[in-house]
Amino acid sequence: ASCGALRSFLFEYDTPRIVLIRSRKVGLVNRAVQLAILAYVIGWVFLWEKGYQETDSVVSSVTTKVKGVVLTNTSTLGARIWDVADYVIPPQGENTVFVMTNAILTLNQRQDHCPELPDDKTVCEHDGDCTSGYVGTHSNGIQTGKCVPYNSSVKTCEVFAWCPVENDEHIPKPAFLREAENFTILVKNNIWYPKFNFSKRNILPSISKTYLKNCIYDPRTDPFCPIFRLGKIVQAAGQNFQEMAVEGGVMALQIKWDCNLDRDASLCVPKYSFRRLDNKDPAHTVSPGYNFRFAKYYKDSNGTESRTLVKAYGIRFDIIVFGKAGKFDVIPTMINIGSGLALLGVATVLCDIVVLYCMKKRYYYREKKYKYVEDYEL
């Protein structure tokens, strides 16, 4: 009996055991990690990102209408009125509208033989310098093989082309239609969120016909007016309209629809912003701006065809619509709650990692947290 009692005493007091040492610092770290996870789940996931909502992306359609008239008086054209049919090309585009602000006009062109513009490949001294049938990358027509006077001092190769050929070396400065900054553009935007069957347009129910005829968009006084003055659009993007009008450019009119459909539908309103899309870098001035050519054709009483060639410089306005809508749904709510609870379970693991591998007394905590035992055969 005495031997059994001694053996029991030695086993109870001499055998090493696994011992968990509780520390105030360890508890503080554990609570800090748990609070950080709770703040992330509640503050970021649910309040900021609205993790309790189902979301949908916007489906949009855009139509535009430009208004404005300008008078020009030049030696070539004389006094002339320019209206929407002259400077909006084409009349309707898909989410875009081009307004001509500058132009190089070549009047009364006919298909004929005439001298080509002088350059390093067209300047000649005699017919042998020209190749019949040659067409270069920048040619205005097909060479005939003849060398003819371009002016009193220069000869160039003759071409069969629309004559006289266009000379676009000098761009008009200031811009031909510099008063285009006073033109206005009406943007009509209809949006639809198919998942929630919710639709709306940027002409809000509170906007009356009288207000629409007189308002101009202003971010402070008229933030929901859908009529924009072109000069103010360019100015809001930090650009100078008169400089941009000379060689043209590309502007973005952005409409953002972020709607919380758990609230009243009247609070779902558009927000407008503007920026320049084409790169304006003073260090890279090769082929700047935006331009293209088009022609207007005519026939006289004799059936002779002629045309006016227009190299149009201007500003293309791209209307970009984006946004999302959210509405409460049980499924994403339960998923995010479950994810939050799972993260709380990770708090203990993160706490152990911090205590055992990052703190200065990590070796002390490791020794106190674990004690290793050997197996004894009784």
Side-chain angles (χ1 to χ4, degrees):
S2 61
C3 290
L6 179 61
R7 189 162 48 247
S8 175
F9 174 82
L10 291 174
F11 179 77
E12 181 177 357
Y13 291 97
D14 292 348
T15 303
R17 292 173 297 170
I18 299 175
V19 180
L20 176 62
I21 304 298
R22 294 187 178 273
S23 167
R24 182 175 298 176
K25 287 186 177 180
V26 176
L28 290 175
V29 172
N30 193 17
R31 284 192 292 273
V33 174
Q34 290 177 342
L35 288 174
I37 292 174
L38 281 174
Y40 165 76
V41 173
I42 297 174
W44 177 261
V45 175
F46 280 95
L47 297 181
W48 183 260
E49 291 293 327
K50 295 181 175 61
Y52 56 87
Q53 290 183 334
E54 182 73 20
T55 60
D56 193 15
S57 298
V58 67
V59 178
S60 168
S61 68
V62 174
T63 57
T64 59
K65 184 184 293 184
V66 181
K67 289 187 177 181
V69 178
V70 64
L71 170 67
T72 61
N73 193 353
T74 63
S75 57
T76 304
L77 298 176
R80 178 169 177 174
I81 290 291
W82 296 77
D83 61 13
V84 176
D86 296 313
Y87 57 75
V88 176
I89 310 156
Q92 285 294 325
E94 185 177 353
N95 294 354
T96 185
V97 59
F98 174 82
V99 178
M100 184 173 69
T101 56
N102 206 2
I104 297 175
L105 304 176
T106 308
L107 305 177
N108 300 320
Q109 284 188 322
R110 290 183 173 86
Q111 293 198 8
D112 201 351
H113 296 85
C114 55
E116 179 65 281
L117 284 177
D119 61 26
D120 55 348
K121 294 184 179 180
T122 61
V123 173
C124 60
E125 295 293 335
H126 48 77
D127 292 349
D129 296 333
C130 302
T131 304
S132 178
Y134 172 77
V135 180
T137 304
H138 303 288
S139 296
N140 288 289
I142 302 174
Q143 290 189 12
T144 63
K146 294 181 180 180
C147 183
V148 296
Y150 178 78
N151 54 34
S152 58
S153 59
V154 177
K155 287 185 175 182
T156 61
C157 295
E158 185 184 65
V159 290
F160 178 64
W162 286 94
C163 299
V165 295
E166 179 192 61
N167 186 349
D168 61 349
E169 291 183 1
H170 302 288
I171 304 174
K173 292 183 181 181
F176 189 60
L177 300 179
R178 56 185 176 275
E179 294 183 15
E181 66 177 331
N182 295 319
F183 295 168
T184 59
I185 176 173
L186 167 64
V187 178
K188 293 190 286 185
N189 175 216
N190 293 272
I191 59 118
W192 178 44
Y193 290 105
K195 188 177 291 186
F196 309 120
N197 195 26
F198 177 84
S199 60
K200 201 167 185 179
R201 63 176 186 157
N202 66 328
I203 302 178
L204 303 178
S206 59
I207 295 178
S208 64
K209 289 185 178 181
T210 304
Y211 175 78
L212 192 62
K213 288 181 178 179
N214 298 283
C215 74
I216 296 293
Y217 171 82
D218 186 275
R220 293 183 296 273
T221 60
D222 295 278
F224 304 121
C225 178
I227 299 177
F228 305 87
R229 182 169 280 121
L230 304 190
K232 286 190 174 182
I233 292 177
V234 176
Q235 183 182 9
Q239 304 293 317
N240 184 289
F241 185 90
Q242 295 302 328
E243 292 180 0
M244 193 175 182
V246 174
E247 294 180 315
V250 182
M251 289 292 305
L253 194 160
Q254 299 171 315
I255 308 177
K256 183 179 180 181
W257 292 87
D258 277 352
C259 300
N260 184 353
L261 299 183
D262 290 329
R263 304 167 68 185
D264 193 270
S266 62
L267 300 176
C268 178
V269 294
K271 293 182 179 179
Y272 301 99
S273 60
F274 316 94
R275 60 168 298 180
R276 184 170 182 173
L277 295 180
D278 64 313
N279 185 26
K280 184 176 182 289
D281 188 352
H284 301 280
T285 58
V286 178
S287 188
Y290 182 74
N291 65 80
F292 60 91
R293 291 176 176 85
F294 68 95
K296 297 181 178 180
Y297 295 86
Y298 313 92
K299 276 189 178 181
D300 59 18
S301 58
N302 297 323
T304 303
E305 187 180 33
S306 64
R307 74 177 189 181
T308 296
L309 179 65
V310 181
K311 184 176 183 181
Y313 298 84
I315 303 175
R316 192 184 76 193
F317 294 90
D318 291 345
I319 294 90
I320 302 172
V321 183
F322 59 96
K324 65 178 182 178
K327 194 172 185 180
F328 174 78
D329 192 88
V330 174
I331 294 176
T333 303
M334 297 306 296
I335 290 175
N336 285 305
I337 290 175
S339 300
L341 294 175
L343 283 175
L344 287 175
V346 178
T348 303
V349 177
L350 293 177
C351 178
D352 285 346
I353 292 173
V354 172
V355 170
L356 299 177
Y357 297 98
C358 300
M359 296 183 68
K360 291 182 179 180
K361 296 183 178 181
R362 55 186 178 273
Y363 299 108
Y364 171 78
Y365 285 116
R366 190 176 299 156
E367 290 177 358
K368 297 301 181 182
K369 182 175 178 66
Y370 302 108
K371 285 193 174 183
Y372 299 95
V373 299
E374 296 179 0
D375 290 335
Y376 288 89
E377 294 181 2
L378 297 180

